[in-house]
């Protein structure tokens, strides 16, 4: 009843809603302790490290359930940031005993050891204040334990010690950048590099296989299968370059701007030192933001990065669709590619196998495109000195990075690596194509070549038979001019 009475009085919620929350919490915890903030006392599960403000957020934002929790990379980035802040703050007067305990506790957060103590969802205050306080409270209580004290005593204070020289308005954009840059470097770039390497090797493997090209989904002039795959490889290479080119802006950290970008309640040099500390901790070239007002009020760097991911998703959608269409069949489709068979494809049609890796990748691309819309809308809503769409921007951006990284790795391993060319089918379609007639243009002109193609199509004959009937070429001239292998590049 204590949690019910306190929560009702302090949160302003309905009695029924608060009682429902208290009952739900008791299903996980059997005992509670009292924590306090500026609103007064509130009951917190005894086995949890969080404090009063986290508890209030849990009660005030019951949106989406556990699947909507703040992304783990954000939590880990908070651990990195708070550790570095304590390290720098000790240079500016923070009690070393408290500072070292904070650093030890923050390291546990950075390593993911305290993930269960970060229950808050993305859908909260737009500045991420509650998640910042979640980190402050967890680290403060864990630091207290390290010092032999009890949770909730505030011998290590979440605001005065852990959040010293900081504001949620600069810590949250800072961890957004730390998390995104870390995930891009550790997950996304390696996955895309591997995919590019495999596509490039397929381009070399298929370099001598001449096939029919297609434009507007209709027959076109020939190219090699290697040239086609070379186009795919180049798309991925450019995508890698695009996302890499956004990193310099992500490496700029807002920390030190505090509430509105002025640096109130920090010491001179704090911003430079904490950026250097984060760089040392992560082995990434983080620096202090050139302009803290921009860093707090706008998230153009995140929008830019998301835009590069949107472009990569666009490329991967094209590549995956091409590959699954070229592999369609096995008897009644294009059938130019033989895709790896990974699992049964139908619960009713025996023996059916589907291009599931292509399907998974294209669904990921659709999600990434949707995420970019959310990031774009969020980024455009920086009002005056603060953007208040930070959590959704961070969540959507990190979701896109993880999805593209994982899907690219899966696509490379379970599809691209095992693709084979159906040489017999490719040759058959190549020599049935009417668009080989294009090579006759320089000799007989466009109009005569069109007449040959139309006659062959109408009568179901070959191009050669049609050309001879029309009398525009001799047999020897046709054989000299229509050589698919000589149609895959400029002439001498």
């Amino acid at each position: 009843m204590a949690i019910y009475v306190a929560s009702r009085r302090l949160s302003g919620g309905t009695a029924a809603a608060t009682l429902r929350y208290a009952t739900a919490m008791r299903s996980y915890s059997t005992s509670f302790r009292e924590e306090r903030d500026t609103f007064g006392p509130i009951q917190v599960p005894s086995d949890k490290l969080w404090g009063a403000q986290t508890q209030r957020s849990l009660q005030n934002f019951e949106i989406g359930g556990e699947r909507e929790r703040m992304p783990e990379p954000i939590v880990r980035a908070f651990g990195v940031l708070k550790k570095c802040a304590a390290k720098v703050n000790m240079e500016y007067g923070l009690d070393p005993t408290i500072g070292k305990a904070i650093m030890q506790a923050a390291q546990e957060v950075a390593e993911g050891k305290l993930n269960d103590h970060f229950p808050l969802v993305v859908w909260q205050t737009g500045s991420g204040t509650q998640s910042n306080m979640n980190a402050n409270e967890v680290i403060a209580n864990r630091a207290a334990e390290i010092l032999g004290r009890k949770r909730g005593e505030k011998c290590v204070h979440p605001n005065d010690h852990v959040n010293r020289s900081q504001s949620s308005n600069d810590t949250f954009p800072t961890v957004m950048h730390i998390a995104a840059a870390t995930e891009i470097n550790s997950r996304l770039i390696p996955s895309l590099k591997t995919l590019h390497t495999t596509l490039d090797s397929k381009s070399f493997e298929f370099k001598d296989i001449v096939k029919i090209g297609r434009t507007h989904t209709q027959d076109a002039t020939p190219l090699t299968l290697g040239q086609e795959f070379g186009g795919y490889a180049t798309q991925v290479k450019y995508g890698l370059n695009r996302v890499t080119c956004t990193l310099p802006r992500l490496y700029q950290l807002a920390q030190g701007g505090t509430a509105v970008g002025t640096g109130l309640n920090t010491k001179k040099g704090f911003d430079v030192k904490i950026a250097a500390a984060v760089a040392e901790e992560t082995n990434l070239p983080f620096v202090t933001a050139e302009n803290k007002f921009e860093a707090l009020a706008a998230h153009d760097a995140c929008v830019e990065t998301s835009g590069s991911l949107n472009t990569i998703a666009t490329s991967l959608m094209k590549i995956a669709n091409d590959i699954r269409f070229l592999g369609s069949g096995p008897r009644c489709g294009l059938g130019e590619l033989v895709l790896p068979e990974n699992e049964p494809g139908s619960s009713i049609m025996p023996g059916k196998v589907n291009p599931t890796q292509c399907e998974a990748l294209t669904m990921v691309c659709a999600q990434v495109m949707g995420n970019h819309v959310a990031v774009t809308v969020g980024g455009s809503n920086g009002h005056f000195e603060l953007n208040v769409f930070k959590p959704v921007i961070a969540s959507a951006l990190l979701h896109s990075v993880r999805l593209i990284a994982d899907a690219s790795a899966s696509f490379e391993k379970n599809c691209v690596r095992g693709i084979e060319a159906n040489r017999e089918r490719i040759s058959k379609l190549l020599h049935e194509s009417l668009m080989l007639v294009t090579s006759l243009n320089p000799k007989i002109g466009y109009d005569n070549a069109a007449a040959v193609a139309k006659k062959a199509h109408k009568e179901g004959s070959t191009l050669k038979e049609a050309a001879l009937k029309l009398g525009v070429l001799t047999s020897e001239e046709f054989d000299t001019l229509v050589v698919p292998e000589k149609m895959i590049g400029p002439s001498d």
Side-chain angles (χ1 to χ4, degrees), residues 8-43:
R8 182 184 181 190
R9 181 178 68 250
L10 296 169
S11 70
T14 66
T18 311
L19 183 59
R20 182 175 66 251
Y21 178 80
T23 302
M25 285 304 298
R26 287 193 178 96
S27 68
Y28 298 98
S29 303
T30 57
S31 63
F32 296 83
R33 71 176 184 276
E34 183 177 275
E35 289 262 6
R36 287 178 172 269
D37 59 10
T38 56
F39 270 43
I42 190 171
Q43 296 295 306

Side-chain angles (χ1 to χ4, degrees), residues 295-352:
L296 270 62
H299 288 299
D300 294 349
C302 291
V303 178
E304 178 188 22
T305 302
S306 180
S308 72
L309 300 179
N310 188 62
T311 304
I312 291 170
T314 303
S315 299
L316 295 177
M317 179 77 84
K318 184 262 193 294
I319 294 167
N321 275 332
D322 275 11
I323 287 174
R324 67 169 159 182
F325 295 149
L326 289 172
S328 62
R331 293 191 175 181
C332 301
L334 296 179
E336 293 188 348
L337 298 180
V338 180
L339 307 184
E341 298 183 351
N342 297 322
E343 65 272 313
S346 174
S347 62
I348 189 173
M349 292 174 280
K352 193 172 192 294

Side-chain angles (χ1 to χ4, degrees), residues 440 443-444 448-449 451-452 463 466-474 477:
L440 301 180
K443 178 69 174 179
I444 65 174
N448 283 331
V452 170
L463 288 173
L468 294 177
K469 285 183 180 180
L470 290 172
V472 294
L473 287 169
T474 66
E477 287 174 326

Side-chain angles (χ1 to χ4, degrees), residues 6 45 57 74 135 153 166:
S57 183
I74 290 289
E153 290 184 356
Q166 302 155 64

Side-chain angles (χ1 to χ4, degrees), residues 22-331:
T23 302
M25 285 304 298
R26 287 193 178 96
S27 68
Y28 298 98
S29 303
T30 57
S31 63
F32 296 83
R33 71 176 184 276
E34 183 177 275
E35 289 262 6
R36 287 178 172 269
D37 59 10
T38 56
F39 270 43
I42 190 171
Q43 296 295 306
V44 175
S46 297
D47 60 339
K48 300 303 180 185
L49 286 167
W50 66 69
Q53 290 200 43
T54 304
Q55 189 67 33
R56 294 191 198 285
S57 183
L58 268 175
Q59 295 173 201
N60 292 336
F61 299 98
E62 296 182 77
I63 303 173
E66 289 191 9
R67 64 171 289 170
E68 297 297 323
R69 280 187 176 185
M70 192 65 67
E72 183 179 339
I74 290 289
V75 173
R76 288 175 177 255
F78 264 121
V80 170
L81 178 60
K82 298 298 179 177
K83 177 182 179 180
C84 293
K87 179 181 179 181
V88 174
N89 278 323
M90 283 191 288
E91 298 181 30
Y92 290 103
L94 176 63
D95 183 335
T97 301
I98 292 175
K100 290 176 181 178
I102 290 173
M103 290 181 68
Q104 184 177 335
Q107 181 62 31
E108 293 180 11
V109 173
E111 292 173 357
K113 294 179 179 179
L114 302 181
N115 285 349
D116 289 344
H117 301 274
F118 288 84
L120 301 188
V121 295
V122 169
W123 317 109
Q124 52 167 282
T125 175
S127 61
T129 298
Q130 278 112 29
S131 282
N132 181 44
M133 285 308 303
N134 189 176
N136 291 334
E137 291 172 345
V138 167
I139 292 169
N141 276 327
R142 180 67 188 113
E145 289 182 336
I146 290 168
L147 295 174
R149 304 290 291 272
K150 293 181 180 180
R151 299 176 182 180
E153 290 184 356
K154 291 191 176 180
C155 66
V156 179
H157 198 282
N159 297 83
D160 297 337
H161 298 139
V162 184
N163 201 59
R164 178 170 171 155
S165 303
Q166 302 155 64
S167 162
S168 299
N169 296 353
D170 63 354
T171 58
F172 202 89
T174 296
V175 299
M176 288 168 68
H177 282 212
I178 294 172
T182 300
E183 289 288 289
I184 288 170
N185 279 286
S186 65
R187 293 185 190 275
L188 180 63
I189 289 177
S191 291
L192 290 176
K193 283 183 175 179
T194 301
L195 177 58
H196 170 259
T197 297
T198 303
L199 286 168
D200 195 52
S201 70
K202 287 294 175 181
S203 175
F204 181 79
E205 178 185 340
F206 299 149
K207 66 184 177 65
D208 296 323
I209 302 175
V210 181
K211 56 160 287 180
I212 199 62
R214 295 177 180 89
T215 59
H216 305 270
T217 71
Q218 305 297 301
D219 299 350
T221 56
L223 75 166
T224 67
L225 187 58
Q227 288 171 327
E228 198 163 39
F229 270 74
Y232 305 152
T234 301
Q235 282 188 279
V236 176
K237 182 179 76 172
Y238 288 167
L240 263 166
N241 184 58
R242 287 185 181 99
V243 73
T244 301
C245 286
T246 70
L247 287 173
R249 267 75 66 197
L250 283 182
Y251 289 143
Q252 293 193 31
L253 301 182
Q255 202 61 55
T258 63
V260 297
T262 60
L264 178 67
N265 288 356
T266 66
K267 298 293 185 179
K268 289 183 178 179
F270 175 84
D271 57 348
V272 174
K273 288 186 176 182
I274 196 166
V278 171
E280 182 180 5
E281 190 72 20
T282 60
N283 291 316
L284 294 173
F286 290 108
V287 294
T288 192
E290 177 183 340
N291 187 294
K292 304 299 190 302
F293 304 100
E294 187 273 347
L296 270 62
H299 288 299
D300 294 349
C302 291
V303 178
E304 178 188 22
T305 302
S306 180
S308 72
L309 300 179
N310 188 62
T311 304
I312 291 170
T314 303
S315 299
L316 295 177
M317 179 77 84
K318 184 262 193 294
I319 294 167
N321 275 332
D322 275 11
I323 287 174
R324 67 169 159 182
F325 295 149
L326 289 172
S328 62
R331 293 191 175 181

Side-chain angles (χ1 to χ4, degrees), residues 298-440:
H299 288 299
D300 294 349
C302 291
V303 178
E304 178 188 22
T305 302
S306 180
S308 72
L309 300 179
N310 188 62
T311 304
I312 291 170
T314 303
S315 299
L316 295 177
M317 179 77 84
K318 184 262 193 294
I319 294 167
N321 275 332
D322 275 11
I323 287 174
R324 67 169 159 182
F325 295 149
L326 289 172
S328 62
R331 293 191 175 181
C332 301
L334 296 179
E336 293 188 348
L337 298 180
V338 180
L339 307 184
E341 298 183 351
N342 297 322
E343 65 272 313
S346 174
S347 62
I348 189 173
M349 292 174 280
K352 193 172 192 294
V353 179
N354 297 327
T356 52
Q357 289 296 317
C358 297
E359 292 167 359
L361 180 57
T362 51
M363 286 191 289
V364 162
C365 293
Q367 181 64 62
V368 171
M369 293 171 186
N371 286 346
H372 183 52
V373 173
V375 172
T376 302
V377 173
S380 68
N381 277 276
H383 303 141
F384 305 116
E385 278 64 61
L386 188 68
N387 178 291
V388 289
F389 280 65
K390 300 184 194 299
V392 71
I393 292 172
S395 177
L397 177 59
L398 290 168
H399 191 212
S400 292
V401 171
R402 181 63 183 266
L403 283 179
I404 293 179
D406 288 356
S408 296
S410 179
F411 185 58
E412 185 279 329
K413 176 184 176 182
N414 298 307
C415 182
V416 179
R417 194 183 301 179
I419 290 175
E420 297 177 358
N422 186 342
R423 292 173 181 264
E424 182 179 350
R425 177 67 173 171
I426 289 172
S427 179
K428 181 178 185 295
L429 293 176
L430 171 66
H431 289 95
E432 288 179 352
S433 173
L434 298 176
M435 289 304 101
L436 297 179
V437 77
T438 307
S439 63
L440 301 180

